[in-house]
Amino acid sequence: MGYYNSNEPKKKRTGYFASSFSGLVAGALLVGVAIPQFTDVDAAAENQPRTVETASGIQNVSDIVTTDVTEIVDATSAAVVGVTNLKTAQQNPFMPAAGAEAQEAGTGSGVIYKKDGGSAYIVTNNHVVEGAERVKVTLADETELDAEVLGTDVWTDLAVLKVDSGSISTIAEFGDSSVLKAGEPVIAIGNPLGLQFSGSVTTGVVSGTERLVPIDINGDGTEDWQAEVLQTDAAINPGNSGGALINSQGQVIGINSMKIAQDAVEGIGLAIPINSAIPIIQDLEAKGEVERPSIGVSIMDLSSVPQQYRNSQLGLPEDVTEGVVVSEVAPGSGAEKAGIQPYDVIVELDGKAVNSVLELRQHLYTQAEVGDTLKVKVYRGGELVDAKIELTESL
């Protein structure tokens, strides 16, 4: 299964994770037929007749059709912007690099969520601005602004930008993604395939909530995280990354993040739930990073250790086949202070079985915070040992 990558979770921060792409042009006149949940307003009050005279002198009468969808798009679309990643092109090694101009390396979308004094703040995806030397924001009226990247987070695939607010009048309103139900109508707005399709609108429904999608963060072919996302059948395409998924009240309930890209798959778009995104956005805006807890160890899946080494090196009982092997312990870390040693096999955290690195990370990032004390069970030389680890901030 392939993914276009574009979620702080918790007991204290729920559903931290997720990576993204969305939107292609949807005809507004078709929406009332395709998505009956968005109802047309009173035609007598809203539809304004227009007379057109042709060359033959015959008059045709047409209506300006206004629906709930068009009203929502009119009210919110200006809060969705284009985001361009600019990098300096690789230079001829025999030519001076001085004076080389940054060129477009990729485009995506973003959502203006706050205006404070002379600054406006935009949320987008990390992968949209990753590696950028400069970032440019293009407003709905084609005004271009230089943007400052305040912070990025690879785990949730979110980033926050700051621009001058002088040209900005429309701010998106965040909704509540926790109350969404399957079948609820949604609108996706963004820039699929680049700025030439800027402000594209697609409609659909919430196909599912609290979906878990495996993510390979570092590209090594191993799943590093399971992103908690919303599923929608509103069209999501490359370039919509960072765009808005909007409910029938005109509120942003998701940041369009990715799609499942398989020949046999259609209509599975994914978005970061806004309730999961908000604490990340706040951290990135205020501190430029997300504070996450750490045990202070290097680890690997027990399943990747050959059976003979599980017995000879780790001394595990035959029935212990899943867990996390400690390969190194950081000096001065909570793990070292708790007496954790290399070759310990972690099998339980806070009373819950831990079968893999992914599960351990999921527990740390969604169920714990810096300063918490984690109850751990490890196998050491064939014996089950209890330990308590105080969590510190990840480096």
Side-chain angles (χ1 to χ4, degrees):
M1 179 179 295
Y3 297 89
Y4 285 114
N5 273 347
S6 26
N7 131 7
E8 171 171 320
K10 48 180 179 177
K11 163 178 79 180
K12 302 175 181 176
R13 289 185 175 173
T14 305
Y16 223 128
F17 290 74
S19 307
S20 73
F21 300 103
S22 358
L24 199 57
V25 182
L29 298 182
L30 297 179
V31 172
V33 177
I35 309 296
Q37 296 92 331
F38 288 112
T39 57
D40 290 348
V41 296
D42 181 15
E46 298 292 340
N47 293 352
Q48 305 173 22
R50 181 176 57 185
T51 301
V52 179
E53 186 171 348
T54 67
S56 64
I58 300 175
Q59 291 185 335
N60 297 327
V61 178
S62 62
D63 291 333
I64 300 174
V65 178
T66 303
T67 69
D68 288 350
V69 173
T70 61
E71 290 181 346
I72 290 171
V73 171
D74 285 345
T76 61
S77 61
V80 180
V81 301
V83 179
T84 304
N85 182 322
L86 299 171
K87 297 179 183 179
T88 303
Q90 184 173 356
Q91 298 295 305
N92 184 328
F94 300 102
M95 298 292 290
E101 293 187 2
Q103 299 180 1
E104 180 180 312
T107 60
S109 306
V111 180
I112 306 170
Y113 69 89
K114 177 180 176 181
K115 187 175 178 180
D116 184 11
S119 299
Y121 299 84
I122 298 167
V123 57
T124 185
N125 286 136
N126 169 71
H127 78 261
V128 171
V129 298
E130 190 172 18
E133 297 175 12
R134 286 178 49 217
V135 174
K136 180 178 67 178
V137 166
T138 304
L139 306 183
D141 63 2
E142 300 186 355
T143 298
E144 294 185 351
L145 303 172
D146 287 328
E148 176 187 355
V149 180
L150 294 183
T152 63
D153 183 54
V154 66
W155 290 100
T156 57
D157 194 28
L158 289 171
V160 170
L161 314 177
K162 183 171 75 171
V163 297
D164 182 88
S165 65
S167 305
I168 293 173
S169 58
T170 303
I171 308 299
E173 177 186 355
F174 288 161
D176 183 357
S177 58
S178 70
V179 299
L180 292 174
K181 296 181 178 180
E184 184 173 334
V186 290
I187 303 168
I189 304 179
N191 307 310
L193 308 181
L195 297 179
Q196 68 191 89
F197 294 115
S198 63
S200 289
V201 177
T202 60
T203 60
V205 298
V206 175
S207 303
T209 60
E210 299 182 353
R211 302 296 200 205
L212 293 178
V213 177
I215 302 296
D216 178 7
I217 298 292
N218 57 12
D220 64 356
T222 301
E223 296 173 8
D224 301 299
W225 185 251
Q226 292 191 84
E228 181 185 326
V229 293
L230 301 172
Q231 179 189 342
T232 178
D233 65 349
I236 305 291
N237 291 283
N240 264 106
S241 302
L245 190 67
I246 299 172
N247 64 13
S248 56
Q249 285 74 52
Q251 301 167 324
V252 177
I253 45 82
I255 303 299
N256 296 321
S257 181
M258 57 184 152
K259 66 177 290 186
I260 294 181
Q262 275 187 318
D263 291 339
V265 176
E266 290 185 11
I268 301 182
L270 305 170
I272 304 167
I274 201 62
N275 287 24
S276 300
I278 286 173
I280 307 299
I281 293 170
Q282 292 172 338
D283 279 355
L284 294 178
E285 181 188 324
K287 300 181 290 187
E289 61 182 3
V290 178
E291 183 181 81
R292 292 196 175 91
S294 171
I295 294 177
V297 293
S298 297
I299 50 181
M300 62 186 296
D301 286 338
L302 176 61
S303 61
S304 65
V305 178
Q307 183 64 49
Q308 64 267 31
Y309 296 116
R310 299 183 196 180
N311 299 328
S312 62
Q313 298 293 321
L314 303 178
L316 290 174
E318 292 289 341
D319 60 344
V320 177
T321 59
E322 294 181 310
V324 176
V325 182
V326 175
S327 56
E328 292 183 60
V329 179
S333 66
E336 184 185 57
K337 293 175 182 177
I340 300 298
Q341 302 174 14
Y343 302 141
D344 282 354
V345 179
I346 300 172
V347 293
E348 188 177 293
L349 299 177
D350 288 337
K352 297 179 181 179
V354 175
N355 300 318
S356 66
V357 171
L358 191 152
E359 289 187 9
L360 184 148
R361 187 178 289 126
Q362 202 90 23
H363 183 92
L364 279 181
Y365 292 174
T366 64
Q367 305 298 317
E369 290 187 348
V370 173
D372 287 353
T373 298
L374 196 66
K375 296 178 181 179
V376 182
K377 287 185 181 293
V378 303
Y379 273 100
R380 180 181 302 151
E383 299 293 329
L384 196 59
V385 178
D386 291 324
K388 293 183 179 180
I389 304 175
E390 183 176 349
L391 301 178
T392 57
E393 184 177 356
S394 298
L395 299 178

